[in-house]
Amino acid sequence: MGDYTTVSVPSSKLLFRQLFEKESSTNTYLLADVTHPQKPALLVDPVDKTADRDISIIKELGLTLIYAINTHVHADHVTGTGVIKNKVPGVKSIISKASNSKADLFVEHGDKIHFGNLFLEVRATPGHTLGCVTYVTGDGPDQPQPRMAFTGDALLIRGCGRTDFQGGSSLQLYNSVHSQIFTLPKDTFVYPAHDYKGFTVSTVGEEMLFNPRLTKDEDTFKSIMENLNLPYPKMIDVAVPANMVCGLQDVTKKSCEPLAT
C-alpha cells in the first residue's frame, strides 16, 4: 500500500491529500470542499493498485467522491478510475477529449470542473501525449491561494515527461509548459503525476529558475529530449490499452459527453 502526505494549503474550504503509489512512483491527489454540506471530492490520477486505499480514506473523512480524473492516458500504470467507478456508485470519470480514450465526461481547454464551491480549470498541455492537460485550482478570493497546478507528466519537479511515445512532441511540450504553466503566478504550487527522487511539491517560480530542461531555449530542449535514450516503458503495452478504456471498466453501455462549464 502507498503512503499519503498532508500538505498545508491556505484555505479553510479545501481539504487536500497527496497520496503515493510506490511501484510506478505515481502521485494521486484528493481534493474536497469541506464547507459544502456533501463534502464533494475528486481524485486526480488514481492508480488501480491503490484504489482501495483511496476509497478508504475518502470514507474515513466523510467525503463524497464525485469525480475520478486523469491528466492523460498513462503508460506506466493502469488508472484506478475503472475500479473506483465499480466500487463507488455515482462517480464519473473525466479525461481530455483530445486523449481519444473512454470516460464519462470529456474536458477541453478552458473548461471548469466544479466540486462544491471550488473548481479546477482545465489547461491543455500536450507534448508528453496529445491529450495531456493540467488542472489548476480556481482563481479568485473564494478559491485556494496560492493556486495549485496538477501537471501530470507535462511538468515534473526539475524535469518533464518523455516525448517519444503516444504522439509526443518536444517542441509542443516546451510551448505548452511555457504558455500554460509558466504563465501562472510564480507562487503556484506544482504537483506532478510522478516523482522519482522523493520530491513532493515545487512552485512555478522554482521550475522557471531551476528546471534543467525547460529553462533552456527550444532547440536545446529538443536536443535534450531527443538524446535521453530512455528504455521502452515496461508497462506501456498493458497500461495504454487499459487506460484507453478507463482502466478496464465496461464502457460498452456508457455514453461519453462533454463536461458542461
Side-chain angles (χ1 to χ4, degrees):
M1 299 294 282
D3 302 317
Y4 71 85
T5 302
T6 302
V7 178
S8 178
V9 178
S11 171
S12 59
K13 293 182 178 180
L14 178 68
L15 179 145
F16 176 65
R17 297 290 186 272
Q18 182 173 16
L19 305 107
F20 189 69
E21 195 282 309
K22 294 178 180 178
E23 186 172 339
S24 60
S25 297
T26 300
N27 291 309
T28 297
Y29 300 99
L30 170 64
L31 294 84
D33 181 352
V34 292
T35 62
H36 190 278
Q38 294 180 322
K39 295 185 179 179
L42 57 80
L43 283 168
V44 180
D45 288 332
V47 180
D48 61 341
K49 293 182 178 180
T50 44
D52 287 339
R53 173 206 62 190
D54 299 349
I55 293 169
S56 177
I57 188 172
I58 287 166
K59 289 181 178 178
E60 288 174 353
L61 296 173
L63 310 177
T64 303
L65 185 65
I66 57 173
Y67 295 129
I69 71 181
N70 282 298
T71 53
H72 63 292
V73 174
H74 300 275
D76 46 19
H77 68 270
V78 175
T79 177
T81 52
V83 175
I84 290 167
K85 278 174 56 63
N86 286 331
K87 294 190 175 187
V88 184
V91 175
K92 291 187 179 296
S93 58
I94 295 178
I95 202 166
S96 71
K97 185 177 181 180
S99 69
N100 292 316
S101 61
K102 299 293 184 181
D104 295 313
L105 299 169
F106 292 135
V107 290
E108 298 181 274
H109 181 82
D111 285 347
K112 294 179 180 178
I113 302 171
H114 292 269
F115 56 109
N117 296 312
L118 304 176
F119 67 89
L120 295 179
E121 171 195 327
V122 180
R123 294 194 172 206
T125 49
H128 172 60
T129 74
L130 288 171
C132 285
V133 294
T134 291
Y135 299 109
V136 186
T137 53
D139 191 17
D142 58 341
Q143 302 295 314
Q145 294 295 333
R147 299 179 75 180
M148 306 161 74
F150 302 95
T151 56
D153 289 15
L155 177 63
L156 305 178
I157 297 173
R158 308 301 191 265
C160 63
R162 64 194 296 171
T163 57
D164 55 339
F165 288 101
Q166 296 175 270
S169 164
S170 57
L171 293 184
Q172 190 176 44
L173 178 61
Y174 186 91
N175 290 326
S176 291
V177 172
H178 279 264
S179 66
Q180 300 302 322
I181 300 175
F182 283 178
T183 53
L184 290 164
K186 291 183 179 180
D187 63 351
T188 302
F189 292 120
V190 170
Y191 292 105
H194 301 283
D195 190 83
Y196 308 98
K197 297 180 180 179
F199 296 116
T200 57
V201 62
S202 182
T203 66
V204 166
E206 280 185 41
E207 296 308 314
M208 290 175 69
L209 286 173
F210 305 123
N211 192 291
R213 299 176 184 175
L214 287 154
T215 51
K216 305 296 192 294
D217 60 64
E218 283 190 25
D219 290 339
T220 303
F221 178 77
K222 185 173 183 288
S223 178
I224 290 171
M225 299 307 291
E226 289 176 349
N227 292 282
L228 291 178
N229 297 316
L230 295 171
Y232 188 74
K234 63 181 181 179
M235 279 288 290
I236 191 170
D237 294 327
V238 174
V240 169
N243 293 336
M244 289 296 287
V245 292
C246 202
L248 298 177
Q249 76 174 96
D250 179 6
V251 295
T252 57
K253 297 181 181 179
K254 290 284 186 182
S255 63
C256 298
E257 58 191 41
L259 180 71
T261 58

